[in-house]
Amino acid sequence: MCQHKPHLQPQNVSTTMDLLHTGSNQLGIPLSEEQIAQFESYYHELVDWNQKFNLTAITDYTEVQIKHFLDSLAALPLIAEELNMTLPFSNALDMIDVGTGAGFPSVPLKIVAPSLRLTLLDGTAKKIRFLQHLVGMLALDNVTIVQGRAEELGRQSVYREQFDIVTGRAVASLNTLVEYLLPLARLGGLVVIYKGGGAADEFMAARKAIEMLGGETVRFAPVEVPFLAQKRFVLLLKKVKHTPGLYPRGQGLARKKPLG
Ligand code: SAH
């Protein structure tokens, strides 16, 4: 059969994570077959565990590709540009994802940039159990999974000002979130916050808090997520001064009485 072209067999190509495949190319992040397979198992584990544990409201095959996987990856070109690095990052960078839930945005980032040394942080036991299972399934190395509160880790010397990259998506309002994230960034480190519509107002309300916590805004940019009509924004902060010892405050104050 001289016309046999195994790599074009439709059952292998067009049905498996096809939106992710096309969308990641649009983002300038071409994925290998192995990475596509990792995303495919991520999807199946997420949906499977979700039946028992309610990890996410988004479970449709198309929606997970767009709203979880591509949305998580969409900030990566901005991060790479800010770090002045190309993908996959050659330096081992320490990254913590605060309130990671079922692993967003950091597990997709780790799949495409395997050299990242990743800490996954969440307060909820069922999320932690899922993440332990997932990290094993996907055979990801250099991943530490921690159950705890961001405002407590931010006061412990093993975590405080230790990370090159600190991420947060859909965890809290911005003026609360910056008090969770900025204390964890090392001097010169980068904080990456994912936000939906309404981000501009939240940003105005958080500007003072960002400064008080030792941050400086380097970028507040709309981000195009492939196949998604809604607006998404990424806020990039650089840690330019040490966070004063007073922060993060305990007893839920970051949430109940946000700075600013
Ligand atoms: N980042 C994920 C999950 C968002 S849901 C995503 O984008 O899909 C918010 C998550 O943050 C929940 O899993 C919740 O347990 C966690 N969370 C909220 N406040 C927290 C805190 N102070 N410290 C640690 N985790 C927190």
Side-chain angles (χ1 to χ4, degrees):
M1 296 279 280
C2 59
Q3 289 188 333
H4 186 62
K5 292 180 182 167
H7 60 290
L8 290 178
Q9 290 299 306
Q11 64 269 36
N12 292 336
V13 178
S14 64
T15 56
T16 304
M17 294 276 133
D18 49 353
L19 291 178
L20 174 67
H21 194 258
T22 309
S24 59
N25 277 331
Q26 279 175 28
L27 291 170
I29 310 169
L31 300 177
S32 67
E33 271 179 33
E34 191 192 341
Q35 287 166 330
I36 292 281
Q38 284 177 303
F39 279 106
E40 180 76 15
S41 350
Y42 192 171
Y43 171 75
H44 288 291
E45 295 307 319
L46 182 66
V47 170
D48 193 24
W49 278 59
N50 208 50
Q51 291 171 352
K52 287 173 280 173
F53 291 113
N54 188 25
L55 301 165
T56 175
I58 299 168
T59 53
D60 173 74
Y61 191 64
T62 297
E63 278 204 290
V64 169
Q65 289 180 72
I66 299 169
K67 294 187 177 171
H68 280 327
F69 297 162
L70 287 170
D71 190 73
S72 295
L73 294 180
L76 194 53
L78 293 183
I79 300 172
E81 196 182 315
E82 194 49 44
L83 295 172
N84 212 1
M85 287 184 189
T86 48
L87 279 167
F89 305 139
S90 45
N91 295 23
L93 296 167
D94 287 299
M95 177 163 102
I96 184 165
D97 190 17
V98 172
T100 186
F104 304 113
S106 61
V107 173
L109 297 177
K110 171 77 181 165
I111 291 173
V112 304
S115 67
L116 287 169
R117 290 190 298 237
L118 175 61
T119 300
L120 295 166
L121 171 66
D122 204 278
T124 313
K126 64 181 183 181
K127 309 272 170 79
I128 296 297
R129 278 203 295 281
F130 171 70
L131 293 167
Q132 285 163 341
H133 170 77
L134 179 73
V135 164
M137 274 290 300
L138 301 181
L140 301 174
D141 58 8
N142 290 317
V143 180
T144 307
I145 302 169
V146 181
Q147 184 180 357
R149 310 280 315 165
E151 57 275 42
E152 283 160 23
L153 266 69
R155 290 199 297 271
Q156 299 168 13
S157 57
V158 276
Y159 300 106
R160 186 180 175 89
E161 302 203 325
Q162 296 301 311
F163 295 92
D164 302 297
I165 306 174
V166 183
T167 55
R169 188 186 85 153
V171 178
S173 66
L174 190 57
N175 46 11
T176 296
L177 192 56
V178 290
E179 192 170 347
Y180 292 162
L181 304 188
L182 272 163
L184 296 164
R186 68 160 173 81
L187 267 192
L190 199 62
V191 170
V192 184
I193 296 166
Y194 291 62
K195 279 281 167 190
D201 289 343
E202 282 196 52
F203 177 52
M204 291 311 284
R207 287 175 77 158
K208 191 147 172 252
I210 292 168
E211 202 201 316
M212 287 166 79
L213 294 159
E216 186 181 88
T217 303
V218 289
R219 202 135 169 198
F220 176 59
V223 168
E224 285 277 332
V225 178
F227 310 110
L228 190 70
Q230 287 115 297
K231 276 207 162 105
R232 293 282 193 257
F233 292 87
V234 168
L235 175 61
L236 292 184
L237 309 174
K238 191 169 182 177
K239 183 78 168 270
V240 290
K241 287 192 211 133
H242 290 292
T243 298
L246 220 57
Y247 310 116
R249 295 163 299 160
Q251 291 150 350
L253 285 173
R255 187 169 43 82
K256 288 184 241 160
K257 279 183 182 273
L259 294 171

